[in-house]
Amino acid sequence: MAGRRARAPKVPRFYFNFRSPYSWLAYRDLLDRYPDVARAVEWHPWWDPDESDERALREAGGSFSYVAMSRDKHLYLLQDVRRLARQRGLSVTWPVDEDPEWSVPHYAYFVALRAGKGPEYLERVHRARWLEGEDICDRKTVARLAEELGLPAERMATAADDPALREREGLPALLTQSRDGVFGVPFFILGYEKFWGLDRLPAFVDAVRARSGTPAGPAEPESGGPDFLTARAGEQGHAGGCG
């Protein structure tokens, strides 16, 4: 792929992640402030690959771009996220990450998506992590959340242990994010235009609306939670990746 420009996706994309508080806030803003754009985008998970994923990605010609943050940046982030959450009427219960396995909640997302409950799982996991302070990398937590949603608890809790799921869903998703050059979240793509960070979301929204002919300005919030995302999220389930 070196020397060649990757093909621009036809549908706008939103890369989300359960680890990042900024991704969570972008998720909330899309649902609460920009529901028309939430319906228009494809939803792509982005997660820190473990050793197995990283090896498979490398062998397939892809790469993972991410730089760990400094302690000072981490401390700033704690302040910043509380401030941003408060502006949105949200009260953060900060989770404690102890040797987290990010593949656990993200691979479970693929199972939920296949079961037609991807949006519900997104909402429940985000709430568990950022409002309830739960360890979403704990398989017991994933199992309990799955039971609440009527999903197969054991299957969800052990999704990351399934080599077939990793090959069928995980690797294509990782290759897609590699081709898109995603280096952090939240990350938005419209054609060849890329937008990184929560503060770039309004510009992405304006660009999506301009292309679709939707008048600029805030859309009326819609009730009903994440259900309206089902159609777009459902498209991610086809072979060849989540998008």
Side-chain angles (χ1 to χ4, degrees), residues 17-60:
N17 170 268
F18 295 131
R19 175 182 182 177
S20 165
Y22 293 107
S23 179
W24 166 58
L25 292 171
Y27 165 81
R28 288 269 30 118
D29 282 0
L30 275 171
L31 265 62
D32 298 338
R33 301 180 178 183
Y34 315 114
D36 55 320
V37 177
R39 284 193 299 269
V41 300
E42 288 180 344
W43 294 63
H44 290 250
W46 183 93
W47 71 97
D48 311 47
D50 57 19
E51 187 175 336
S52 174
D53 274 342
E54 198 158 11
R55 183 174 55 254
L57 180 60
R58 190 170 52 249
E59 290 174 355

Side-chain angles (χ1 to χ4, degrees), residues 8 11 35 44 51 68 88 96 98 105 116 125 129 143 153 156 163 169 176-177 184 191 202 211 222 226 231:
V11 178
H44 290 250
E51 187 175 336
R88 290 161 172 78
V96 177
E98 296 182 355
V125 172
R129 176 161 171 76
M156 294 282 287
E169 307 279 1
T176 298
Q177 66 184 238
R211 193 173 79 166
E222 297 185 5

Side-chain angles (χ1 to χ4, degrees), residues 75-90:
L75 292 175
Y76 169 78
L77 182 150
L78 297 177
Q79 291 184 359
D80 192 42
V81 169
R82 287 194 186 282
R83 183 168 51 234
L84 293 170
R86 192 163 51 241
Q87 292 171 356
R88 290 161 172 78
L90 300 169

Side-chain angles (χ1 to χ4, degrees), residues 113-234:
L113 195 59
R114 287 286 184 183
K117 292 192 174 182
E120 291 86 348
Y121 178 75
L122 274 174
E123 193 281 331
R124 187 64 190 95
V125 172
H126 277 128
R127 178 155 51 92
R129 176 161 171 76
W130 296 112
L131 299 181
E132 300 167 1
E134 298 217 43
D135 179 2
I136 61 168
C137 293
D138 185 330
R139 285 171 165 76
K140 294 178 181 176
T141 303
V142 172
R144 180 170 50 77
L145 300 181
E147 286 181 344
E148 290 180 19
L149 297 172
L151 290 163
E154 180 69 16
R155 173 67 177 134
M156 294 282 287
T158 60
D161 304 327
D162 181 351
L165 183 66
R166 284 181 178 257
E167 182 177 357
R168 186 178 66 249
E169 307 279 1
L171 181 56
L174 290 167
L175 285 170
T176 298
Q177 66 184 238
S178 175
R179 284 192 295 269
D180 281 346
V182 182
F183 53 82
V185 286
F187 202 95
F188 313 94
I189 299 179
L190 177 65
Y192 286 112
E193 279 201 86
K194 298 178 181 180
F195 306 78
W196 173 52
L198 177 64
D199 58 349
R200 297 294 187 272
L201 176 55
F204 172 71
V205 167
D206 288 346
V208 171
R209 287 174 175 170
R211 193 173 79 166
S212 66
T214 302
E220 289 297 322
E222 297 185 5
S223 60
D227 290 347
F228 64 84
L229 300 177
T230 301
R232 181 61 65 192

